[in-house]
Amino acid sequence: MVSHYSRLFGGPFAGHDEMHLRELSMRMKDIPENRRGRPRRGDLAPSAFVYLGQFLAHDVTRDETNLERASAAPERTRNFHAPRLNLESVYGGGPQKSPDLYDLSESGNETFLLGNTEGMPRKKILSTLDDFCRRNGRPLLADDRNDQHLILAQLHVVFLQFHNRVVDCLKGGAFSDQAFPDETIFETAQRLVVWHYQWIVRNEFLKWFILPEVLADIEKHDPRLFKPALGEEITAVPVEFTQAAFRFGHSMVQPQYEINQWIGLVRLSELIRTTRPGERGESLPANRVVDWDRFTRTWGGNANFAENIDTLISGDMFNLPASAMPIFSKASPPPLPEMTLLRGSRIGLPSGQEACQAAGVQSLTGAQIGFDDDANEFLGERGMNMRTPLWYYLLREAEVLGVRKFRGGECLGPLGSRIAAEVLLGVMNADPKHYLNVDSNWRPLTAVFGGSSEPRRLDSLRKLVVFAKDRHRSESLS
């Protein structure tokens, strides 16, 4: 299926002065003179969900247009991924079309190839199968964007491990009631892995980042912006989603993370890929395997939580190296916010206020667009307080109105929530292979795993990770 991009609100709309956008970008770097006392607090999502968002985005869309050619009409811009939540970025074309990814020794029972980490005997840290399989040093994965940094790469490995674990269980006679007639074990496992992923997106991810009242309204009254029919072949994903609303995660990235018990806090810059996509690299050192307990917990001093959604981008995220770019260039890329703002302007995204009017959402006032008087003066002098670049507007809207429990910045605001939720739900609801469209009574698998003697349902990302990494444990399953 060939897909492209579309517009939710018509257009193209008039762009902004690019010098003004570059100036605005510089004000988005999270340094003291830009933060100016803004707090970091609230009921914030575990950081695993920030990276699940990036993983999800890579699954639904792949735009290979570089910034210099970003003015091309979205309707003629190719999306190299099918707009489905189907883990295309993990499975590729399956064993037939992407054989390099798989152990093909058992036809119909194919599992993913995994690589051993580099053990550290002196530190008594053993090698484990927690890395990509590498051929001549080159990592083998269906979407090289998922190797941009350690946390995302390790999340990709989790899904490889989850598939392999489900195959093992099916071969052992577990979950036999889940198989469809004429399915191979591989096909059953792939379907179940995709369904668990869809379940987590629908039942966890959206509830962390979407305003509860917006989610409830969509579920009760149906979407009003993006509403493909069941079984409809979605040929385009809206650019208001791909180039603005679903880039909220950039502001939620922390400057450093507690990776595991061995290396503790690590700066983001030390987690980012240093080689260009597909280039030879070293095996992952065993002391850099992500401890997912620290990324999925909602409590504890060493747990990693998302930053508030606001108009600030952490320093290492602000200045990403060329090796971390989805489209490699030898030249150093501009700051990430600058690229996002320029791309949005060049493709003719509406301003936040224009999008609110089209969506029937109350917009922020001009005085609310800036964090303080200085910011409002800067924006007002450039005409951006009443006609605000959409991405910046949605981040600021989240900071002011994204209150899920305690304060702004916990989730997206009214417009951002509606765009993100309607597109994700629309993509899922239109998919005839989505679990709700195949079996509305389906629920995640129940198994005994992770040291517990009690059966538990795999209904959360936290449980899925533990189960996936439990492959070599000899525990009973139900």
Side-chain angles (χ1 to χ4, degrees), residues 27-31 34-41 44 244 247-254 306-314 337 369-371 390-402 407-413:
R27 285 176 162 256
M28 297 181 72
K29 187 172 185 177
D30 193 352
I31 52 178
N34 290 337
R35 179 164 283 278
R36 296 199 293 278
R38 271 188 266 196
R40 296 184 179 96
R41 65 171 183 263
L44 302 174
R247 297 190 174 222
F248 72 91
H250 292 175
S251 72
M252 304 189 82
V253 172
Q254 289 278 12
E307 277 278 15
N308 296 89
I309 307 177
D310 56 27
T311 58
L312 296 174
I313 309 296
S314 68
I369 298 298
F371 171 69
L390 182 59
W391 178 57
Y392 186 92
Y393 177 92
L394 295 175
L395 295 180
R396 180 59 184 158
E397 180 197 57
E399 187 177 8
V400 176
L401 301 176
R407 66 178 305 277
E410 294 173 333
C411 64
L412 287 165

Side-chain angles (χ1 to χ4, degrees), residues 381-441:
E381 288 174 352
R382 292 155 180 79
M384 290 194 288
N385 62 330
M386 300 305 292
R387 191 170 178 278
T388 312
L390 182 59
W391 178 57
Y392 186 92
Y393 177 92
L394 295 175
L395 295 180
R396 180 59 184 158
E397 180 197 57
E399 187 177 8
V400 176
L401 301 176
V403 183
R404 197 182 62 254
K405 282 192 177 180
F406 304 120
R407 66 178 305 277
E410 294 173 333
C411 64
L412 287 165
L415 179 63
S417 289
R418 185 158 294 278
I419 295 172
E422 288 204 9
V423 171
L424 289 177
L425 289 171
V427 165
M428 288 190 282
N429 293 343
D431 183 358
K433 295 182 179 180
H434 185 274
Y435 72 87
L436 283 178
N437 295 328
V438 176
D439 179 3
S440 60
N441 294 316

Side-chain angles (χ1 to χ4, degrees), residues 165 447-453 456 470 472-477:
R165 179 86 163 106
V448 176
F449 62 95
S452 171
S453 59
R456 290 180 288 166
D470 217 12
H472 301 296
R473 295 179 66 91
S474 55
E475 296 189 17
S476 61
L477 299 158

Side-chain angles (χ1 to χ4, degrees), residues 95-201:
Q96 300 303 315
K97 295 182 179 179
S98 304
D100 286 355
L101 304 179
Y102 297 93
D103 177 349
L104 304 174
S105 59
E106 293 185 52
S107 179
N109 299 342
E110 293 89 352
T111 54
F112 285 105
L113 295 169
L114 289 166
N116 284 294
T117 60
E118 189 67 39
M120 309 179 77
R122 291 183 180 179
K123 296 184 178 181
K124 298 182 180 180
I125 306 175
L126 301 178
S127 173
T128 56
L129 283 171
D130 284 298
D131 193 13
F132 295 120
C133 179
R134 298 174 187 272
R135 185 160 297 158
N136 298 321
R138 185 177 65 86
L140 302 180
L141 67 165
D143 190 332
D144 56 28
R145 295 175 300 170
N146 284 353
D147 191 29
Q148 286 177 347
H149 58 79
L150 176 67
I151 303 168
L152 182 61
Q154 286 280 281
L155 183 60
H156 189 108
V157 168
V158 164
F159 279 92
L160 305 182
Q161 294 169 326
F162 184 40
H163 171 90
N164 291 357
R165 179 86 163 106
V166 175
V167 168
D168 285 350
C169 294
L170 291 167
K171 286 169 62 178
F175 313 141
S176 57
D177 60 327
Q178 298 285 329
F180 289 171
D182 302 323
E183 274 187 334
T184 65
I185 283 179
F186 171 85
E187 290 165 344
T188 302
Q190 180 180 15
R191 175 173 53 79
L192 290 174
V193 170
V194 170
W195 281 8
H196 282 81
Y197 162 62
Q198 293 170 344
W199 174 278
I200 288 167
V201 172

Side-chain angles (χ1 to χ4, degrees), residues 6 24 28 66 77 82 106 108 120 125 136 175 220 234 254 305 318 327 383 400 408 451 460:
S6 60
L24 179 60
M28 297 181 72
N66 60 33
T77 300
E106 293 185 52
M120 309 179 77
I125 306 175
N136 298 321
F175 313 141
K220 184 176 181 180
I234 300 174
Q254 289 278 12
F305 293 97
F318 186 92
I327 304 170
V400 176
S460 69

